[in-house]
Amino acid sequence: MKNNWSNFHQIARNSFIATSTIYASTEFNFSNTSLPDRRSFCYAAAGGFVVLKSEKEFNNALSKAQDGSLPSVFYFTAAWCGPCRLIAPVILELSKKYPDVTTYKVDIDEGGLSNALGKSNVSAVPTLQFFKGGVKKAEIVGVDVVKLRTVMDQLYK
């Protein structure tokens, strides 16, 4: 398993080209980037921002998102990801703008979260997945601040 993660990280490091595709249905696919260093985000974040550090925490958060009780954004990132650091301040700003939406930060390098990536079909960072009413409504892979703001406004306003 460790060897597979090594390959994943190498692929992710070598391929963070921002692309974007919009689907006309209720789902969106966008290209976006990730957040900064875990420490800066943890201490700066307020209200609806939660750092997930274990498989159990991830499963609990995903259950809340899928049962419709909690509108949620799952932000998959890595400390080594430059685009993640670029988009981090925007994610923090939006988490404050929408306090009823919980933003979950998932560091792909955090021990114990390897199954979370498989369950969520995450293959690159940054990836943001947006849940509302128990359904994943949108996904953004890469950095596109305009699309991130648009999705948040459309889903959670």
Side-chain angles (χ1 to χ4, degrees), residues 7-152:
N7 292 338
F8 170 79
H9 293 296
Q10 188 61 39
I11 291 168
R13 284 185 184 110
N14 291 335
S15 61
F16 67 93
I17 297 172
T19 61
S20 64
T21 307
I22 302 174
Y23 293 104
S25 70
T26 58
E27 285 194 4
F28 304 93
N29 259 340
F30 298 119
S31 206
N32 243 342
T33 326
S34 277
L35 286 177
D37 168 298
R38 173 179 342 154
R39 287 161 292 162
S40 63
F41 216 97
C42 289
Y43 294 121
F49 191 86
V50 178
V51 177
L52 302 177
K53 294 188 175 206
S54 72
E55 187 80 21
K56 183 179 179 181
E57 290 174 350
F58 176 82
N59 289 333
N60 288 338
L62 188 60
S63 291
K64 289 178 186 177
Q66 290 176 333
D67 73 10
S69 66
L70 188 63
S72 307
V73 176
F74 286 82
Y75 170 60
F76 296 89
T77 184
W80 49 261
C81 175
C84 297
R85 288 187 211 113
L86 179 69
I87 198 95
V90 178
I91 294 171
L92 179 59
E93 171 195 329
L94 291 171
S95 71
K96 290 178 182 178
K97 181 178 178 180
Y98 298 100
D100 295 334
V101 177
T102 301
T103 301
Y104 295 103
K105 180 182 176 189
V106 182
D107 186 327
I108 64 167
D109 293 325
E110 187 74 44
L113 287 170
S114 58
N115 290 332
L117 299 174
K119 287 180 185 176
S120 300
N121 295 319
V122 172
S123 60
V125 293
T127 294
L128 291 113
Q129 296 180 346
F130 303 84
F131 286 81
K132 183 176 180 183
V135 177
K136 184 168 82 169
K137 297 287 189 175
E139 181 174 74
I140 298 174
V141 179
V143 175
D144 189 328
V145 173
V146 173
K147 289 179 184 178
L148 173 57
R149 291 180 191 281
T150 300
V151 169
M152 292 291 287

